[in-house]
Amino acid sequence: MNRRILTFAIACALVLTLCAQGLAEQMTVITANDNAKVYDAGGDVIGALPANTELALTGVKGNVCRVEKGGKVAYMMKADLKQAAVETPAETVAETPAVQTATAYAAVEGAKVYSAKGKVVGTLSLNTEVTVTAVKGKICQVKLNGQTGYMKKAELAAQRVEKKAEAAGTVCATAYASVDGAQVVNQAGDVIATLSLNAQVSVTATKGNVCQVTVNGKTGYMLASTLSCDKTEVKAETPVTEIKATAGYVSVDKAKVYDKTGKEIATLAQNAAVSVTAYNDNLVQVATGTTKGYMKKSEISETPVGSNNKNYTNGANNSNGPVGGSTVGPARGTAQEMDWWTSGIQKIFARGTVAQITDVATGLSWQEKRTGGINHADCQPMTAADTAALKNAYGGVWSWDRHAIFVTIDGVNYAASMNGMPHGGDSMPDNDFAGHHCIHFTNSRLHVNDKVDSQHQKAIKKAAAATLE
């Protein structure tokens, strides 16, 4: 990420003025209190920082500031931040030149170079060589590519810094995903890959509880707690009830089949037919062609997806929950249009509320929970079956396209719009949906730019004008 000029000479009293107007450039701030809360874009608390933690302030709206640290973006209350104290200006360094020049190296990644007035004019990667021409106190005058600047002595070293991959407990150079749905993120915190249980990665470096990994040619970061040196054994739990072979169907695409040791032996497409020969609370024993193994019970249904089908239970015609469709029929009748800001829809569809979603175009329905969101509702399908139904509404391909929908809560239909692309935070890892997606109501806004989206509003109007029979 390119770094913009950072003003250091500004007085602390001007921070509030800049906050009120919005920032034209980055500013370095520090936390004013211990345990200052940090929020994600959905408004959920994701951590706390001690006093005097340095952050880059990149934007402000009202009492909320957008901050960055280590390439990750988050949000904090303005009252928990203050202008960072810095050493400026550096002009006097030149008045006491060193007896001779010396070679030094950037001791940290992103070491800052300042102008004589204390503005950041650049950053250096670890071990970038510079020439020190003068020193005073904690500030060094340096030259690089014919340009003169100033750096903190603490961010320089007399010798190159040796880069080593730190040990990470049980995580090895070759590691395996220890949980199904383990996430790989980039430096901005965006999910770039979701791994199945026992997927192999190469660990290239670790720091604390975070590992830098390479998988499928991509470099990203994973929590050490989601990796292990050895593959995780997946076994059929006991007791296993054997039954007469019964027909079943795969309810999700790319469903995994494992042997008794937990090794993945096959991947099946949605609606692939299998023969179920045994089951317990979580797994089913299946056979398909010459392949015999174990599958998650939640990924097998008694009928093909798309026919309001039921999960496989024990061969009886009863349901464990929705697979490709809701356990209740789709919404009927018309839907009310509700303003996100002035009506009561935010309380009706409060965080944690489960609603039935009906796609106006296809008539498919499923259940979702609101898990976050401020400018609109961030939602996630309740189960893998509900995820399959949502994907079916988009023709089997995830898409940012806006769809007109009915959101049904306590028997009342509300006109809304959704996109069909998993993204961002994921608080429900067992539903085969890597992230959340967005549901909009009248006049709700996007999180990315705080603006009303015309395509969502058009889809809401379509839902409000629809009658489902």
Side-chain angles (χ1 to χ4, degrees):
M1 177 185 293
N2 292 327
R3 295 178 182 262
R4 292 166 287 178
I5 296 176
L6 175 63
T7 301
F8 274 86
I10 189 166
C12 294
L14 294 182
V15 174
L16 296 182
T17 302
L18 279 175
C19 287
Q21 295 175 349
L23 292 175
E25 54 187 26
Q26 276 191 168
M27 174 187 296
T28 294
V29 293
I30 59 175
T31 49
N33 312 296
D34 275 325
N35 297 317
K37 291 185 174 58
V38 183
Y39 303 85
D40 63 15
D44 294 321
V45 175
I46 58 175
L49 298 175
N52 298 318
T53 301
E54 186 176 294
L55 303 158
L57 179 65
T58 58
V60 180
K61 184 175 181 64
N63 292 322
V64 179
C65 296
R66 183 175 66 245
V67 296
E68 291 186 17
K69 185 174 179 65
K72 294 188 177 182
V73 177
Y75 300 86
M76 298 184 66
M77 300 304 295
K78 187 162 59 180
D80 287 334
L81 299 171
K82 65 181 181 180
Q83 173 69 27
V86 293
E87 301 174 47
T88 58
E91 297 99 322
T92 55
V93 172
E95 298 173 5
T96 55
V99 176
Q100 59 183 13
T101 60
T103 299
Y105 304 90
V108 295
E109 188 70 31
K112 296 181 177 65
V113 182
Y114 304 94
S115 71
K117 295 183 178 180
K119 293 183 178 180
V120 175
V121 293
T123 58
L124 303 182
S125 57
L126 182 69
N127 288 327
T128 299
E129 182 178 323
V130 299
T131 299
V132 178
T133 55
V135 179
K136 186 173 183 179
K138 298 179 180 180
I139 302 296
C140 297
Q141 185 184 64
V142 299
K143 280 193 174 182
L144 176 64
N145 299 327
Q147 302 294 316
T148 298
Y150 300 88
M151 297 182 65
K152 294 178 180 179
K153 188 188 295 184
E155 294 188 350
L156 290 170
Q159 297 178 335
R160 295 182 185 275
V161 178
E162 185 179 357
K163 292 186 285 186
K164 294 181 179 179
E166 302 172 10
T170 58
V171 177
C172 311
T174 298
Y176 304 90
S178 60
V179 294
D180 198 29
Q183 293 183 337
V184 184
V185 302
N186 60 20
Q187 287 187 333
D190 300 321
V191 177
I192 59 173
T194 301
L195 306 182
S196 58
L197 180 69
N198 291 326
Q200 182 176 318
V201 302
S202 296
V203 179
T204 54
T206 66
K207 186 173 183 180
N209 65 342
V210 178
C211 297
Q212 184 183 63
V213 301
T214 301
V215 57
N216 298 327
K218 296 180 180 179
T219 297
Y221 302 88
M222 295 180 67
L223 293 174
S225 60
T226 64
L227 292 171
S228 65
C229 294
D230 302 309
K231 288 187 177 181
T232 302
E233 187 175 359
V234 179
K235 295 182 178 179
E237 301 174 10
T238 54
V240 172
T241 303
E242 295 186 1
I243 58 174
K244 181 179 179 181
T246 307
Y249 299 88
V250 178
S251 61
V252 297
D253 196 26
K254 299 180 180 179
K256 303 293 190 299
V257 183
Y258 304 93
D259 65 13
K260 288 184 177 181
T261 68
K263 179 182 178 181
E264 182 183 320
I265 57 175
T267 301
L268 301 182
Q270 188 179 60
N271 285 332
V274 297
S275 179
V276 180
T277 56
Y279 70 93
N280 63 20
D281 288 343
N282 300 307
L283 300 176
V284 290
Q285 187 180 62
V286 298
T288 174
T290 59
T291 301
K292 295 182 179 180
Y294 300 89
M295 297 182 66
K296 294 179 181 178
K297 193 173 184 179
S298 61
E299 294 181 350
I300 300 294
S301 68
E302 295 175 1
T303 56
V305 169
S307 59
N308 228 16
N309 49 316
K310 302 176 177 64
N311 278 14
Y312 186 85
T313 53
N314 56 5
N317 188 23
N318 52 10
S319 174
N320 276 349
V323 178
S326 176
T327 51
V328 295
R332 296 286 184 259
T334 59
Q336 319 179 18
E337 188 173 353
M338 302 288 280
D339 188 282
W340 182 249
W341 306 106
T342 60
S343 74
I345 190 61
Q346 290 201 51
K347 291 184 178 179
I348 296 170
F349 198 17
R351 294 184 187 190
T353 300
V354 176
Q356 180 187 350
I357 309 300
T358 303
D359 181 62
V360 170
T362 64
L364 292 174
S365 65
W366 59 92
Q367 292 183 324
E368 295 202 18
K369 178 190 288 188
R370 181 185 172 193
T371 56
I374 298 174
N375 285 351
H376 56 255
D378 289 341
C379 301
Q380 298 178 53
M382 289 294 292
T383 66
D386 294 312
T387 295
L390 169 58
K391 194 170 187 178
N392 284 343
Y394 278 88
V397 179
W398 296 127
S399 169
W400 288 105
D401 289 350
R402 278 55 166 161
H403 276 208
I405 58 173
F406 282 15
V407 177
T408 305
I409 303 170
D410 293 333
V412 180
N413 300 327
Y414 302 98
S417 170
M418 70 176 180
N419 64 47
M421 181 61 70
H423 64 279
D426 184 0
S427 60
M428 300 172 64
D430 297 327
N431 63 352
D432 286 347
F433 194 79
H436 63 266
H437 74 133
C438 307
I439 292 181
H440 282 250
F441 294 83
T442 300
N443 292 325
S444 60
R445 300 192 294 263
L446 299 173
H447 285 141
V448 67
N449 60 11
D450 199 35
K451 293 182 179 179
V452 174
D453 181 81
S454 60
Q455 293 178 310
H456 273 306
Q457 298 304 307
K458 184 177 179 181
I460 293 166
K461 295 294 184 184
K462 179 179 178 180
T467 300
L468 300 183
E469 300 178 352

